[in-house]
Amino acid sequence: MATIFRNAHLLDPMQGLEGRGDVLVENGKIVGVLQDDSALGKIVPILVPQWDTQIIDLEGAFLSPGWMDIHTHVFNTIGDFCLSADDVGIRSGVTTIADAGTSSILTFDAFRQTTIATAKTRVFSFMNPSLLYIATSDQIAHQLEIVANPRNQDIDRAAAVVEANRDVIVGFHVRPVRRTGEKTSPELEAAKKLSEMFSLPLLVHLGHFPQDEAVPPAELLPQLKAGDIVTHCFQPNHALFDQDNKLLPVAKDAIDRGVLLDVGYSHADCSIETAKAAIAQGTLPNILSTNLNCSNVGLADSLAAVMTRFVNLGLSLSEVVERVTYQPAAAIGQSSQLGGFKPGQLADFTIFEWEDKPTALKDSSDGMMTISQLLRVKGVCRSGEYFHIERSPFDTELQADT
């Protein structure tokens, strides 16, 4: 059965589409887009719908390509750190997510069976390249000195897992830690080899690990190639900026080389002041993501809340939507199917609107960002299947100014 999304405010930065329009979906794919002054694909069925066509009137709400959050933690059948994939995904208006390194060589089959195969949300993985990694609130893998142990790496076994799961593994998540006194990070070295073997990007965690020594940015960033992603890019103490929030020369070199910046909004891993200073210097993130896990749901709130913050930091709505649609799709090699309204692409959409209400959003440094409007998700379509959303699991609790 065909579906027409009618009376939408289309917003597709990839193709430069913005304004009132209708979208026709058949068999889970986009087949036609009609605007007042432009048309793509099949138009007649939009103008003259068949009797059995489902029509969803969006009454002027925004319709964008399906939002993507490529830094999440959703392997919630092992450990106490991760969230439900569908709470982070479909129920929050996000059609596609990527789990960031909470599955590894020995646990990937379990992750595929219990999370990827059961979720309505499309789930990809930045696999941890190690034999064993378990995500827990007390960072047990670091406490037991598993992460920095060279014996926790096996390139051949990792390659076999990747070969068997090429459809869902989109890169390798790296916590670049090493034993005190050592020169290299075993996990980083293994990930670099696998990245070269399979032409997949690294998603590299910037920041501090209490139990292990992290490779500092001055050593880490020159090792990254075009297409690799640094996450927590606005981390205030261990990342890309000096104490005066000036971009480090080694970071500028990496960006000029084509290394991508991902926000990875989280506790101490994203400073609004650092982000504000970076944007003022012309250093914009390529990708917006939440880093959602059990410990930060009251801070990141949702992808919609992270997007709201960056609109209030000076990015346009179109620039923000691009960073949760086309840019992440391209970063994980999925832009032929996701991230736009091009006929033939999968029918993944997010329906949202601005809600007028003074709101206080928490900052990672215990401050507050006071805003007058908040993005609210109203519905989502995943491969042609529509879900109305009354309230998302992590909707920000509104705190009206008084």
Side-chain angles (χ1 to χ4, degrees):
M1 184 176 72
T3 302
I4 298 173
F5 290 85
R6 182 84 80 190
N7 295 324
H9 185 107
L10 303 181
L11 184 53
D12 176 9
M14 181 179 77
Q15 296 188 101
L17 291 178
E18 182 166 5
R20 201 214 71 81
D22 306 325
V23 180
L24 174 64
V25 173
E26 291 178 354
N27 300 317
K29 293 192 175 184
I30 300 165
V31 294
V33 180
L34 177 64
Q35 284 191 288
D36 292 336
D37 57 355
S38 65
L40 296 170
K42 295 169 66 174
I43 303 305
V44 172
I46 299 178
L47 297 172
V48 187
Q50 299 293 314
W51 66 270
D52 61 344
T53 297
Q54 179 186 25
I55 297 178
I56 299 173
D57 191 337
L58 299 183
E59 301 176 340
F62 287 102
L63 180 72
S64 76
W67 293 354
M68 305 176 68
D69 188 348
I70 67 166
H71 187 154
T72 68
H73 299 287
V74 295
F75 188 10
N76 66 339
T77 51
I78 293 181
D80 62 351
F81 185 73
C82 297
L83 297 164
S84 157
D86 284 335
D87 280 353
V88 175
I90 287 289
R91 298 187 189 110
S92 294
V94 179
T95 57
T96 300
I97 61 177
D99 179 83
T102 55
S103 63
S104 58
I105 298 170
L106 296 177
T107 62
F108 195 84
D109 281 349
F111 175 62
R112 178 148 197 163
Q113 293 173 28
T114 64
T115 301
I116 295 176
T118 62
K120 288 187 176 295
T121 308
R122 182 180 295 100
V123 181
F124 292 113
S125 173
F126 282 97
M127 189 184 80
N128 185 303
S130 306
L131 284 166
L132 181 63
Y133 184 84
I134 298 174
T136 62
S137 58
D138 60 359
Q139 297 187 323
I140 192 66
H142 292 272
Q143 289 193 49
L144 297 179
E145 301 180 355
I146 294 172
V147 181
N149 190 333
R151 296 171 63 189
N152 197 30
Q153 308 302 323
D154 189 320
I155 297 295
D156 292 338
R157 292 176 73 177
V161 172
V162 178
E163 285 283 8
N165 297 278
R166 291 298 298 268
D167 57 327
V168 292
I169 293 176
V170 294
F172 305 99
H173 181 270
V174 181
R175 297 167 182 85
V177 296
R178 60 192 179 190
R179 290 172 168 173
T180 301
E182 296 291 332
K183 292 185 177 181
T184 61
S185 162
E187 186 172 301
L188 175 60
E189 295 304 311
K192 286 163 53 181
K193 292 177 183 177
L194 291 165
S195 174
E196 183 175 354
M197 288 172 63
F198 292 100
S199 298
L200 293 173
L202 305 181
L203 179 69
V204 181
H205 181 119
L206 298 178
H208 174 61
F209 298 88
Q211 299 89 353
D212 294 305
E213 177 184 305
V215 178
E219 295 179 37
L220 173 66
L221 294 174
Q223 301 184 57
L224 305 184
K225 65 185 183 306
D228 288 341
I229 308 162
V230 291
T231 189
H232 308 311
C233 64
F234 297 135
Q235 214 277 355
N237 300 313
H238 309 280
L240 309 180
F241 302 87
D242 64 20
Q243 60 185 3
D244 297 318
N245 283 329
K246 299 295 186 183
L247 186 68
L248 297 172
V250 69
K252 183 181 184 306
D253 290 344
I255 293 169
D256 291 345
R257 226 171 33 247
V259 173
L260 304 177
L261 305 184
D262 170 51
V263 167
Y265 201 93
S266 187
H267 285 292
D269 290 326
C270 183
S271 162
I272 289 296
E273 290 305 313
T274 301
K276 190 182 301 183
I279 292 169
Q281 297 170 55
T283 303
L284 305 183
N286 301 97
I287 300 163
L288 301 181
S289 67
T290 60
N291 184 36
L292 271 170
N293 60 73
C294 286
S295 70
N296 75 346
V297 291
L299 177 65
D301 299 308
S302 65
L303 188 58
V306 172
M307 293 165 67
T308 299
R309 288 177 174 94
F310 278 86
V311 170
N312 282 269
L313 285 170
L315 274 66
S316 69
L317 180 59
S318 180
E319 289 174 323
V320 163
V321 169
E322 180 184 358
R323 285 158 173 78
V324 298
T325 55
Y326 174 68
Q327 293 273 26
I332 63 172
Q334 301 296 317
S335 59
S336 65
Q337 292 295 311
L338 301 172
F341 286 150
K342 190 175 181 181
Q345 289 187 304
L346 294 174
D348 276 23
F349 312 133
T350 300
I351 299 103
F352 62 100
E353 64 184 12
W354 283 111
E355 181 174 36
D356 293 320
K357 188 174 289 189
T359 306
L361 294 176
K362 293 180 181 178
D363 179 3
S364 58
S365 58
D366 296 325
M368 288 285 185
M369 173 186 281
T370 301
I371 61 175
S372 61
Q373 290 184 310
L374 182 70
L375 287 174
R376 286 291 191 190
V377 173
K378 305 301 289 182
V380 67
C381 179
R382 201 279 210 192
S383 291
E385 185 177 5
Y386 173 70
F387 304 86
H388 174 73
I389 297 174
E390 193 65 37
R391 180 175 174 81
S392 298
F394 310 122
D395 270 354
T396 304
E397 291 299 324
L398 300 183
Q399 303 175 48
D401 288 344
T402 57

Coordinates of all heavy atoms in Angstrom, one line a residue, residues 136-173:
T136 N 29.9 -1.2 31.8 CA 29.2 -1.1 33.1 C 29.4 0.2 33.7 O 30.3 1.0 33.4 CB 29.8 -2.2 34.1 OG1 31.2 -1.9 34.3 CG2 29.6 -3.6 33.6
S137 N 28.5 0.6 34.7 CA 28.5 1.9 35.3 C 29.8 2.1 36.1 O 30.2 3.3 36.3 CB 27.3 2.1 36.2 OG 27.3 1.1 37.2
D138 N 30.4 1.0 36.6 CA 31.7 1.2 37.3 C 32.9 1.0 36.5 O 34.0 0.9 37.0 CB 31.7 0.2 38.5 CG 31.6 -1.2 38.1 OD1 31.5 -1.5 36.9 OD2 31.6 -2.1 39.0
Q139 N 32.8 0.9 35.2 CA 33.9 0.7 34.2 C 34.7 -0.5 34.6 O 36.0 -0.4 34.7 CB 34.7 2.0 34.2 CG 33.9 3.2 33.6 CD 34.8 4.4 33.4 OE1 35.7 4.7 34.2 NE2 34.6 5.2 32.4
I140 N 34.1 -1.6 34.8 CA 34.8 -2.8 35.3 C 35.9 -3.3 34.3 O 36.9 -3.8 34.7 CB 33.8 -4.0 35.6 CG1 34.5 -5.1 36.4 CG2 33.1 -4.4 34.3 CD1 34.9 -4.7 37.8
A141 N 35.7 -3.1 33.1 CA 36.7 -3.5 32.1 C 38.0 -2.7 32.2 O 39.0 -3.2 32.0 CB 36.1 -3.3 30.7
H142 N 37.9 -1.5 32.7 CA 39.0 -0.7 33.0 C 39.6 -1.1 34.3 O 40.8 -1.2 34.5 CB 38.7 0.8 32.9 CG 38.4 1.3 31.6 ND1 39.3 1.8 30.7 CD2 37.2 1.4 30.9 CE1 38.7 2.2 29.6 NE2 37.4 2.0 29.7
Q143 N 38.8 -1.2 35.3 CA 39.3 -1.6 36.7 C 40.0 -2.9 36.6 O 41.0 -3.1 37.4 CB 38.1 -1.7 37.6 CG 37.4 -0.4 38.0 CD 36.5 -0.6 39.2 OE1 36.8 -1.2 40.2 NE2 35.3 -0.1 39.0
L144 N 39.6 -3.9 35.8 CA 40.3 -5.2 35.8 C 41.4 -5.1 34.8 O 42.0 -6.2 34.5 CB 39.3 -6.2 35.4 CG 38.1 -6.5 36.4 CD1 37.2 -7.6 35.8 CD2 38.7 -6.9 37.7
E145 N 41.7 -4.0 34.2 CA 42.9 -3.8 33.3 C 42.8 -4.6 32.1 O 43.7 -5.1 31.5 CB 44.2 -4.0 34.0 CG 44.4 -3.1 35.2 CD 45.7 -3.4 36.0 OE1 46.4 -4.3 35.6 OE2 46.0 -2.6 36.9
I146 N 41.5 -4.8 31.6 CA 41.3 -5.5 30.4 C 41.5 -4.7 29.1 O 42.1 -5.1 28.2 CB 39.8 -6.1 30.4 CG1 39.6 -7.1 31.5 CG2 39.5 -6.7 29.0 CD1 38.2 -7.5 31.6
V147 N 41.1 -3.4 29.2 CA 41.1 -2.6 28.0 C 42.5 -2.4 27.4 O 42.7 -2.4 26.2 CB 40.4 -1.3 28.3 CG1 40.3 -0.4 27.0 CG2 38.9 -1.5 28.8
A148 N 43.4 -2.1 28.3 CA 44.8 -1.7 27.9 C 45.7 -2.9 27.8 O 46.9 -2.8 27.5 CB 45.4 -0.7 28.8
N149 N 45.2 -4.1 27.9 CA 46.0 -5.4 27.9 C 46.2 -5.8 26.5 O 45.2 -6.1 25.8 CB 45.3 -6.5 28.7 CG 46.1 -7.7 29.0 OD1 47.1 -8.0 28.2 ND2 45.9 -8.4 30.0
P150 N 47.4 -5.9 26.0 CA 47.7 -6.4 24.6 C 47.1 -7.8 24.3 O 46.7 -8.1 23.2 CB 49.2 -6.4 24.5 CG 49.7 -5.5 25.6 CD 48.7 -5.6 26.7
R151 N 46.9 -8.6 25.3 CA 46.4 -10.0 25.1 C 44.9 -9.9 24.9 O 44.3 -11.0 24.5 CB 46.7 -10.8 26.4 CG 48.2 -11.0 26.6 CD 48.5 -11.7 28.0 NE 47.9 -13.0 28.0 CZ 47.8 -13.8 29.1 NH1 48.3 -13.3 30.3 NH2 47.3 -15.0 29.1
N152 N 44.3 -8.8 25.0 CA 42.9 -8.7 24.7 C 42.6 -8.4 23.2 O 41.5 -8.0 22.8 CB 42.3 -7.6 25.6 CG 40.7 -7.7 25.6 OD1 40.2 -8.7 25.5 ND2 40.1 -6.5 25.8
Q153 N 43.6 -8.5 22.4 CA 43.5 -8.2 20.9 C 43.8 -9.4 20.1 O 44.7 -10.2 20.4 CB 44.5 -7.1 20.5 CG 44.4 -5.8 21.4 CD 43.0 -5.2 21.4 OE1 42.3 -5.2 20.3 NE2 42.6 -4.6 22.5
D154 N 43.0 -9.6 19.1 CA 43.2 -10.8 18.2 C 42.7 -10.3 16.8 O 41.4 -10.4 16.6 CB 42.5 -12.0 18.7 CG 42.8 -13.3 17.9 OD1 43.0 -13.1 16.6 OD2 42.9 -14.3 18.5
I155 N 43.6 -9.9 16.0 CA 43.1 -9.3 14.7 C 42.4 -10.3 13.8 O 41.4 -10.0 13.2 CB 44.4 -8.8 13.9 CG1 45.0 -7.6 14.7 CG2 44.0 -8.3 12.5 CD1 44.2 -6.4 14.8
D156 N 42.9 -11.6 13.8 CA 42.2 -12.6 12.9 C 40.8 -12.9 13.4 O 39.9 -13.0 12.6 CB 43.0 -13.9 12.9 CG 44.4 -13.7 12.2 OD1 44.5 -12.8 11.4 OD2 45.3 -14.5 12.5
R157 N 40.6 -13.0 14.7 CA 39.2 -13.2 15.2 C 38.3 -12.0 15.0 O 37.1 -12.2 14.7 CB 39.3 -13.7 16.7 CG 39.9 -15.0 16.9 CD 40.1 -15.4 18.3 NE 38.8 -15.7 18.9 CZ 38.6 -16.1 20.2 NH1 39.7 -16.2 21.0 NH2 37.5 -16.5 20.7
A158 N 38.9 -10.8 15.1 CA 38.1 -9.6 14.9 C 37.7 -9.6 13.4 O 36.5 -9.2 13.1 CB 38.9 -8.4 15.3
A159 N 38.6 -9.9 12.5 CA 38.3 -9.8 11.1 C 37.2 -10.8 10.7 O 36.4 -10.5 9.9 CB 39.6 -10.1 10.3
A160 N 37.2 -12.0 11.4 CA 36.2 -13.0 11.1 C 34.8 -12.4 11.5 O 33.8 -12.7 10.8 CB 36.5 -14.3 11.8
V161 N 34.7 -11.8 12.6 CA 33.4 -11.2 13.1 C 33.0 -10.1 12.1 O 31.8 -10.1 11.7 CB 33.6 -10.6 14.5 CG1 32.3 -9.9 14.9 CG2 33.8 -11.8 15.5
V162 N 33.9 -9.3 11.7 CA 33.5 -8.2 10.7 C 33.0 -8.8 9.4 O 32.0 -8.4 8.9 CB 34.7 -7.2 10.5 CG1 34.3 -6.2 9.5 CG2 35.1 -6.6 11.8
E163 N 33.7 -9.8 8.9 CA 33.3 -10.4 7.6 C 31.9 -11.0 7.7 O 31.2 -10.9 6.8 CB 34.3 -11.5 7.3 CG 35.7 -11.1 6.7 CD 35.6 -10.6 5.3 OE1 34.4 -10.5 4.8 OE2 36.6 -10.3 4.7
A164 N 31.6 -11.6 8.9 CA 30.3 -12.2 9.1 C 29.2 -11.2 9.3 O 28.0 -11.5 9.2 CB 30.3 -13.2 10.2
N165 N 29.6 -9.9 9.6 CA 28.6 -8.9 9.9 C 28.8 -7.6 9.2 O 28.6 -6.5 9.7 CB 28.6 -8.7 11.4 CG 28.2 -9.9 12.2 OD1 27.1 -10.2 12.4 ND2 29.2 -10.6 12.7
R166 N 29.2 -7.7 7.9 CA 29.5 -6.5 7.2 C 28.3 -5.6 7.0 O 28.4 -4.4 6.7 CB 30.1 -6.8 5.8 CG 31.5 -7.4 5.8 CD 32.5 -6.5 6.3 NE 32.7 -5.3 5.6 CZ 33.5 -5.1 4.6 NH1 34.3 -6.1 4.2 NH2 33.6 -4.0 4.0
D167 N 27.1 -6.2 7.1 CA 25.9 -5.4 6.9 C 25.6 -4.5 8.0 O 24.8 -3.5 7.9 CB 24.7 -6.3 6.6 CG 24.4 -7.3 7.8 OD1 25.4 -7.7 8.4 OD2 23.3 -7.7 8.0
V168 N 26.1 -4.7 9.2 CA 25.8 -3.9 10.4 C 27.0 -3.2 11.1 O 26.8 -2.3 11.8 CB 25.0 -4.7 11.4 CG1 23.6 -5.0 10.9 CG2 25.7 -5.9 11.9
I169 N 28.2 -3.7 10.8 CA 29.4 -3.1 11.4 C 29.8 -2.0 10.5 O 30.2 -2.2 9.4 CB 30.5 -4.1 11.7 CG1 30.1 -5.2 12.7 CG2 31.8 -3.4 12.1 CD1 31.1 -6.3 13.0
V170 N 29.8 -0.8 11.0 CA 30.1 0.4 10.2 C 31.4 1.1 10.6 O 31.8 2.1 10.0 CB 29.0 1.4 10.2 CG1 27.7 0.9 9.6 CG2 28.7 1.9 11.7
G171 N 32.1 0.5 11.6 CA 33.4 1.1 12.0 C 33.8 0.5 13.3 O 33.2 -0.5 13.8
F172 N 34.8 1.1 13.9 CA 35.4 0.6 15.2 C 35.5 1.7 16.2 O 36.1 2.8 15.9 CB 36.8 0.0 14.9 CG 36.8 -1.1 13.8 CD1 37.1 -0.8 12.5 CD2 36.3 -2.4 14.1 CE1 37.0 -1.7 11.5 CE2 36.2 -3.3 13.1 CZ 36.6 -3.0 11.8
H173 N 34.9 1.4 17.4 CA 35.0 2.4 18.4 C 36.3 2.2 19.2 O 36.6 1.0 19.6 CB 33.8 2.2 19.4 CG 33.8 3.2 20.5 ND1 34.4 2.9 21.7 CD2 33.2 4.5 20.6 CE1 34.2 4.0 22.5 NE2 33.5 4.9 21.9

